[in-house]
Amino acid sequence: MTVRAFRGEILSVPHDPLTDPQAVRHDPDGMLVVEDGIIIDRGAYADLAPRYGDIPVDTLPGLIVPGFIDAHVHYPQMDRIASHGEQLLDWLDRHIFPAEKAFADRSHADHVAGLFLDELLRNGTTSALVFPTVHAHSVDALFEAALDRNMRIISGKVLMDLGPDGLADTAESARAESDALIRHWRGKGRLGYAVTPRFALTSSDEQLQVAGQLLTDHPDVLMHTHLAENERECAEVAARFPDAADYLDAYDRFGLVGDRSVFAHGIHLSDRACARMHESGAGIAVCPTSNLFLGSGFFDFTQAARHGLKLGLGTDVGAGTSFSMLHTAGVAYQAGLMRGHRLDPFRALYLATAGSAALLHIEDKVGGLMPGQEADFVVLDPAATPLLARRTAGADLAERLFALQILGDDRAIADTYVMGERAAC
């Protein structure tokens, strides 16, 4: 049994500030007590230090926040970040599908998976819901790399029997490979599985039925896909499913809309779809840098709040433009303003931590820096750049947090800790 403590300014937002006025938890001179990677106590240093006087205490300069939780990101796309010239469907054909075909080579998958997870850690992200490729071994590569780093990663083989040559599976292989992966990886390390149809246009009706059956057979897994990202995509889905009430309904008829469903983007949603999503308990991974980069649109935070939707935050790399959840939260603020919503910095931190955790059904494990949770946390440096240092000098907590959200990136990550251990990244 190993017990150690960390002292510093501690901030977390375990609940949504939009609905809970007491959501923010701030200890200006705080202490986290960690036993074998689990937080067993948290509070003011003056109160806790006498109780734990004989354990080592590491003093961490900066602002200690929960490890970031990326609710939607594609690891095979990291080498195609910043690819010029197309909106979603053409961008996939021109840039992404060729890159994903390379993952037929297991050694390539292993190499990229390690680089990807190290980049997450370098940016303070300790947990993520990750798209791999259609190749089953792309999941194996990611999960093995995650075990090596003790990270909390959720992923699952992509289903796309209507995909291009070299990336198309079948309904039968999707069922067999997904089932085998779930059974092999269940209960190992800090891993979780997600049934992952790419999106409605890349799976046949038969394969979408397979996805629904997998969710029925394995109620502990998530469902992860894309929804209403791009106007041309929405038009093509409407043409493919003329009897569906809307894009969400195209999934719903196959049993893919439930409280463990995570839909990326959700920019172009009807009120009917939002009401159904709230009723089902499904939620949205908001991906503001990707939405902007591909010209897809701006997420409607006001509509989401009106319907009480569960939200998390995702970088979506490679359509997204940064692995940094700080930068992503900053763009979320700007995107919100385009639709008249002012995203509060504390809610932005919530979306990047406990909000994403709740969306991924891991809120009991991570996201709030609360006793009983795993000790994944990040030390932010408000003086990481000369501009940040000048902007945050003498600023109150909200101003410092907002400055980090707008001006911060990987340079503001002083340290990343996973299960109470400093990550090598």
Side-chain angles (χ1 to χ4, degrees):
M1 181 178 69
T2 302
V3 182
R4 60 188 300 196
F6 301 90
R7 179 183 182 181
E9 183 180 9
I10 306 171
L11 171 67
S12 65
V13 189
H15 308 288
D16 192 344
L18 200 64
T19 56
D20 183 355
Q22 306 300 317
V24 176
R25 175 81 186 269
H26 180 226
D27 299 296
D29 181 14
M31 184 169 166
L32 283 178
V33 184
V34 177
E35 180 180 322
D36 294 334
I38 304 297
I39 299 168
I40 61 170
D41 213 344
R42 172 185 171 178
Y45 177 79
D47 294 336
L48 296 187
R51 298 186 211 168
Y52 301 97
D54 57 345
I55 66 171
V57 178
D58 293 338
T59 299
L60 303 178
L63 182 63
I64 301 169
V65 300
F68 296 122
I69 301 169
D70 194 330
H72 176 74
V73 59
H74 293 251
Y75 98 83
Q77 296 180 9
M78 69 176 291
D79 290 335
R80 300 309 303 160
I81 192 171
S83 293
H84 175 265
E86 307 290 351
Q87 289 201 354
L88 175 64
L89 298 182
D90 293 327
W91 174 81
L92 287 170
D93 288 337
R94 178 179 173 186
H95 298 297
I96 298 307
F97 290 154
E100 293 191 3
K101 288 178 183 179
F103 283 74
D105 178 357
R106 170 63 193 265
S107 64
H108 178 72
D110 286 330
H111 180 64
V112 176
L115 293 174
F116 168 80
L117 293 179
D118 287 344
E119 192 67 16
L120 289 187
L121 290 170
R122 200 175 65 79
N123 282 273
T125 298
T126 53
S127 299
L129 175 59
V130 184
F131 251 77
T133 69
V134 71
H135 312 97
H137 62 238
S138 73
V139 181
D140 294 328
L142 179 68
F143 279 169
E144 288 176 12
L147 284 177
D148 287 344
R149 293 157 178 80
N150 203 19
M151 295 176 70
R152 184 164 286 284
I153 297 294
I154 304 169
S155 189
K157 181 196 121 59
V158 176
L159 314 182
M160 47 188 299
D161 63 341
L162 299 183
D165 288 344
L167 286 179
D169 57 0
T170 67
E172 293 77 14
S173 67
R175 182 194 302 272
E177 290 178 343
S178 298
D179 190 72
L181 286 165
I182 292 168
R183 296 181 187 281
H184 176 73
W185 288 106
R186 178 181 279 130
K188 294 189 177 179
R190 305 172 71 199
L191 305 177
Y193 200 88
V195 172
T196 309
R198 186 177 208 110
F199 69 124
L201 296 177
T202 52
S203 287
S204 66
D205 287 12
E206 182 184 5
Q207 189 173 71
L208 292 172
Q209 289 171 345
V210 165
Q213 188 60 52
L214 285 166
L215 296 175
T216 298
D217 293 344
H218 303 284
D220 57 319
V221 306
L222 298 183
M223 199 290 298
H224 183 201
T225 192
H226 299 85
L227 172 69
E229 177 179 358
N230 175 275
E231 289 182 340
R232 179 181 154 201
E233 167 213 10
C234 292
E236 294 196 18
V237 169
R240 158 86 186 276
F241 299 96
D243 297 331
D246 47 41
Y247 197 154
L248 185 74
D249 192 42
Y251 289 126
D252 210 356
R253 58 189 50 211
F254 297 103
L256 302 181
V257 180
D259 85 319
R260 298 185 70 83
S261 299
V262 179
F263 295 100
H265 304 287
I267 306 171
H268 308 287
L269 291 178
S270 66
D271 282 330
R272 190 219 72 86
C274 290
R276 171 61 184 139
M277 194 171 291
H278 173 75
E279 175 190 53
S280 70
I284 299 172
V286 183
C287 303
T289 68
S290 170
N291 298 342
L292 181 61
F293 180 74
L294 292 181
S296 299
F298 301 102
F299 183 77
D300 193 339
F301 284 98
T302 301
Q303 181 191 45
R306 188 168 68 247
H307 288 280
L309 298 186
K310 291 194 304 189
L311 303 180
L313 198 63
T315 63
D316 194 30
V317 169
T321 57
S322 174
F323 280 86
S324 170
M325 292 288 279
L326 287 174
H327 174 76
T328 302
V331 177
Y333 169 79
Q334 298 168 61
L337 283 181
M338 292 299 296
R339 289 195 166 193
H341 180 84
R342 295 185 295 175
L343 181 62
D344 177 271
F346 294 105
R347 188 165 196 244
L349 180 61
Y350 166 78
L351 293 177
T353 56
S356 284
L359 183 64
L360 307 188
H361 288 259
I362 54 175
E363 69 272 28
D364 59 326
K365 305 292 187 184
V366 289
L369 293 184
M370 302 301 289
Q373 292 189 329
E374 296 156 350
D376 290 356
F377 58 90
V378 175
V379 183
L380 301 179
D381 179 5
T385 68
L387 183 59
L388 262 173
R390 186 170 180 83
R391 181 62 185 86
T392 59
D396 65 16
L397 177 62
E399 288 181 307
R400 282 185 287 138
L401 186 60
F402 188 62
L404 283 161
Q405 176 185 344
I406 301 301
L407 302 175
D409 52 29
D410 57 297
R411 294 169 294 177
I413 308 299
D415 275 310
T416 300
Y417 285 78
V418 175
M419 294 288 284
E421 298 293 334
R422 188 173 181 273
C425 54

